[in-house]
Structures are given as C-alpha cells and as structure tokens.
Amino acid sequence: MNEPFKESSGESTQNTNKEVSKSQQLATGVPQGSVLGPLLFSIYMTSLGSVIQKHGFSYHCYADDTQLYFSFQPDDPTVVARISACLSDISSWMNDHHLQLNLTKTELLVVPANPSFHHNFSIQLGSSTITPSRTARNLGVVMDHQLSFTDHIATTTRSCRFALFNIRKIRPFLSEQSTQLLVQALVLSRLDYCNALLAGLPACTIKPLQLIQNAAARVVFNEPKTAHVTPLLIRLHWLPVAARIKFKVLMLAYKTTTGTAPTYLNSLVQSYAPSRSLRSASERRLVLPSQRGSKSLSRTFSWTAPSWWNDLPISIRTAESLLIFKKHLKTHLFRLHLTN
C-alpha cells in the first residue's frame, strides 16, 4: 500500500524541481509583505494624479485604493460625462502601466446638500454600470449618502459586541488589570477610531456606542448588567463617548492653532486676530463662522472645532505643549461629564 505512494511522491518532487528550474529571476519588485511595498507602489502611482486633476477632480491615494471627489450643482448635466471620461482615462493609464482598474469594486457615493434630493444617474464604462450606492467604506469608516453615520455606528457596535462576548466567556480566568487591557485594545480602540467624524450628531445616534462602553466597564469589574456605570467609568478614568469625540476634535483644534496639523485642517479654521489691540488677542481663540441659517454646517469641523475651542478655559487653550494640553483637557472633560 505504501509503495505507490512513495513512487507518486517522488514523481511530484521531480515535477516540482522542473517547475523551479523554469522560474526566472525578477529584476523589479519587492518581496510580498515588505514594508516598502505600499511606499514604492505610491511612488509608482504618482503620475496618475495629473490624469485625475485634468478632469477637475481632487483625490486621495492609500496604497492601491484611490478616492476621487468633487462638488457639483444638482442640475449640472455634465456630471455623468465628466466621471465617465475620468474613469476611462484612469483605465487607459493603468493599462499602460501594467495595472487594471477593478470596476467591480468601484463605488459611487453622492452626498446631496439637501437630504430630500436623490440622484438616479448611472455611469456606463465598458460592460460595467456604476450606480450611486447608499453606503461606501472609506478606510474602515462606513459613510452613507446622508452622512448620518448610522451604518458605521451599527457596524462598530456589532464588532465591539462580538469582542465583548468573547472576553466575557474567558473573564473568570483573567485578572481585572488583564481584562482592562484586553477591553481597551479590542473595544475602546474601535470606539475611538475616526470618532471625530461623529461630532455634532444627536445623543440618540451615538447612544449605541455609549451602551457598548458601559457594557465594557461592567465586564472589567465583572459587574451585572444592572450595575450603575458612572462609578465604574470614574474608577477606570474613561471619558464617556460624547466626551471622547470632543476630546479628539479639540486635540485637532490645538494642532491647528500651533501649526502642526495637516494643511487641509489648517485651511478649515482661522485664528482670531482683532483689528485693534485687545486682551482677547492673546487668548488663542478661533473665528466662529456664521451658519447662515443652515443646520448642516453645525456638524462641520470648521464650526464645531472653534465653538468647542472657544468654550475652553484660557489655561487649557494656551497650554505650552500637546502633552500638557491633553492632560488638562481630559481632566476638564472628566469633571464636566462625570463628576458634576
């Protein structure tokens, strides 16, 4: 019984050796999994930017994912033609550079200024048809066409609930400190990821995230579901979800006032500079733009950041470093949301 197996094994080895002998040495590229891969690929894709900008689009590139975005009037009849022409040129550029545009993974998300307005256009490229999607994933964030982030919150809640379920099963074998570290790594990190996008949302929308944090605190101390959670959050020194969102936005605001934030954030806010000598000139305030009757602007970074920033005590706004600012800001929000 073993003899045929040995013979087939040897034959397989000979075939493998023949295939290896036919392989060729590559003069370009990096090993799979190399940290240089994304960087070199981004350099290789640099010339694609001029193709995109030629059509009046802005873009972001992350490894092999490219995001195009632009604004247009609702009654603009050239939108479909512009997008089709841009995608066609991108496809041609990729063919010339030994790449291929994957139309099956191409998503179109239209965010109307008026939520009641719907776009029904479709884009035809070759044999593929691209229609507007209700949601699209962007670096792990699920963005919907109304920017309500309800789908993102539901997805985050689902993943955190699954992690808590697994931690709860092994909780009898863990110490309190080990459980806290595990919860912070698997649950709180997901609650904090890109949470600045949730600024300005109503409390009822972010309530599912707060319920997850409450459940996480009870798991750490092995408390029942009916246990009051505020004392637990105080013992853990965890800010509530609403305060964590405000903390992230204010930290970005501090970076804009000190010039350490990215350029696109610096362009969204403006430091307050009075026309004459006033005491407020040294208080490091930000200009609060006028909403002009539009409620949608109340959720933008250019409005929430200056509004929350100007409400901070002067001692926090004028902190000498980011480390000192974060320490004083957390203490301020902790007293404001938990101890008052």
Side-chain angles (χ1 to χ4, degrees), residues 83 87 103 106-108 121-125 128-132:
I83 298 177
L87 291 180
L103 292 176
T106 301
E107 295 180 297
L108 174 64
F121 60 80
S122 61
I123 299 172
Q124 190 73 28
L125 189 63
S128 301
T129 302
I130 304 173
T131 57

Side-chain angles (χ1 to χ4, degrees), residues 233-252:
L233 294 179
I234 293 176
R235 288 174 59 185
L236 291 168
H237 240 268
W238 288 356
L239 290 173
V241 172
R244 302 174 87 90
I245 295 172
K246 184 178 291 187
F247 180 88
K248 181 68 71 65
V249 173
L250 290 173
M251 187 177 66
L252 295 175

